[in-house]
Amino acid sequence: DAAIRDAVGEFERQRDSYVERIKGARDAEIERRYQEELARLPNPRRRIEQLYQLKVSSLEAEISSLRTQFDRLQINSPAMTAAQRQQLTSRRDELRQKQNQIDRDWEDRKAVARRQFEEAQSTEAGKQKVSQSEQLSKNELSAKLTSIENERVELARTDQIRRIAARLYGVRPETVSDDQAGFVSVLWFGSLAMLAALAGPLTAIVALALQKIGTSDHMPSKLSLLIRRMLLTWRWRRTRNVPTPFEVITEKEIERRVEVPVERVVKEILYIPVLTDDPDAIRKSLTDTLPKDIAELVTVNFGKSRNAGAA
């Protein structure tokens, strides 16, 4: 009975401790774990009763047999003397004192064990609190890492260098390593620097070549013609027009008469004075200087008197 009372007391204290932990739990996972541990916590009463059942039964049978034997011996035994009674009384008192000493020792041991158990429970509760705080810190760090990773992926997908490196190495922009991005950046900016450095000299060379072509009288060389053709082709590609179809909505078609000017040929008579009065000379001069169809339309008119000869 004492063992059952002590064990059940410890069981009830553990159960109360788990109940308090479940009430103070801040996370659903920790609360679920405490509930599972509380459900697995066994009641020691049945185990102790089964442990002591055979022993108690044998002891009860032995006690019953000894009582029967005691009663029979007490009836058949002679009367106890005063010395024997005194010896039994002292022996009983000695055994009672030893029993009380043993009970006190066991009580002290149980108190020490109970104090150690309470300290272990408080230590476990402290560890649980530390574990909860560490779990919260872990969750916060995981959320921050997820946010930082999303920002890194977004920046990597908008970074021109990493996009070029991803196309070159056949990977995603966010998985491009620093070495790959560094190699592509050196190649990219190096090519841009080389183009910027060569732009001025090439422009000067082309300008001098074009100036030489413009000032020289002989035919330009094949290289000059090739460079000029390349420049014209590049300029045409830069300035070509791209047709863009678009729909024009007309509300109503209106027909109206439009007067179109028509060219009409009007013959005019132009009088040209000539310092001669020879018609043959004038006719010959007109035939030589004017077109045939116009010369046929020209008429020569003289006055009444003729004062000069053939010119």
Side-chain angles (χ1 to χ4, degrees), residues 2 9 27 40 48-49 57 78 94 118 121 164 167 197 209 229 233 236 259 273 277 279 281 306:
D27 192 357
R40 289 196 300 268
I48 296 175
E49 287 179 353
S57 299
E94 183 180 356
E118 290 176 354
Q121 281 187 337
I164 296 173
R167 186 178 294 274
R229 189 179 296 109
T233 305
W236 179 81
E259 295 182 358
D277 55 358
R306 180 176 179 182

Side-chain angles (χ1 to χ4, degrees), residues 232-251:
L232 290 176
T233 305
W234 174 70
R235 184 176 181 276
W236 179 81
R237 287 181 180 175
R238 287 179 61 247
T239 59
R240 64 178 178 177
N241 296 325
V242 179
T244 303
F246 61 93
E247 184 179 0
V248 178
I249 301 175
T250 57
E251 297 180 355

Side-chain angles (χ1 to χ4, degrees), residues 167-296:
R167 186 178 294 274
L168 178 62
Y169 292 101
V171 295
R172 294 184 177 180
E174 59 269 18
T175 58
V176 173
S177 62
D178 294 337
D179 296 335
Q180 295 174 351
F183 174 74
V184 172
S185 64
V186 170
L187 185 63
W188 176 258
F189 291 111
S191 62
L192 290 179
M194 184 179 65
L195 291 176
L198 294 177
L202 287 177
T203 305
I205 291 171
V206 173
L208 291 174
L210 294 176
Q211 185 178 3
K212 184 178 180 181
I213 292 171
T215 56
S216 63
D217 297 333
H218 61 277
M219 295 296 293
S221 62
K222 294 182 178 180
L223 179 60
S224 300
L225 293 175
L226 179 61
I227 294 174
R228 185 172 182 274
R229 189 179 296 109
M230 290 175 61
L231 290 175
L232 290 176
T233 305
W234 174 70
R235 184 176 181 276
W236 179 81
R237 287 181 180 175
R238 287 179 61 247
T239 59
R240 64 178 178 177
N241 296 325
V242 179
T244 303
F246 61 93
E247 184 179 0
V248 178
I249 301 175
T250 57
E251 297 180 355
K252 185 178 180 181
E253 296 181 358
I254 301 174
E255 295 182 359
R256 63 180 180 178
R257 183 176 299 175
V258 178
E259 295 182 358
V260 179
V262 179
E263 183 179 0
R264 186 176 59 179
V265 179
V266 179
K267 294 183 180 181
E268 295 182 358
I269 299 174
L270 179 62
Y271 295 94
I272 300 175
V274 180
L275 298 177
T276 183
D277 55 358
D278 187 0
D280 296 332
I282 294 174
R283 173 62 60 184
K284 183 178 179 182
S285 176
L286 293 175
T287 303
D288 295 337
T289 57
L290 298 176
K292 185 177 180 181
D293 53 350
I294 298 176
E296 292 177 353

Side-chain angles (χ1 to χ4, degrees), residues 73-82 84-85:
L73 291 174
Q74 189 176 9
I75 293 172
N76 297 326
S77 64
M80 185 180 297
T81 61
Q84 293 177 346
R85 185 179 296 277

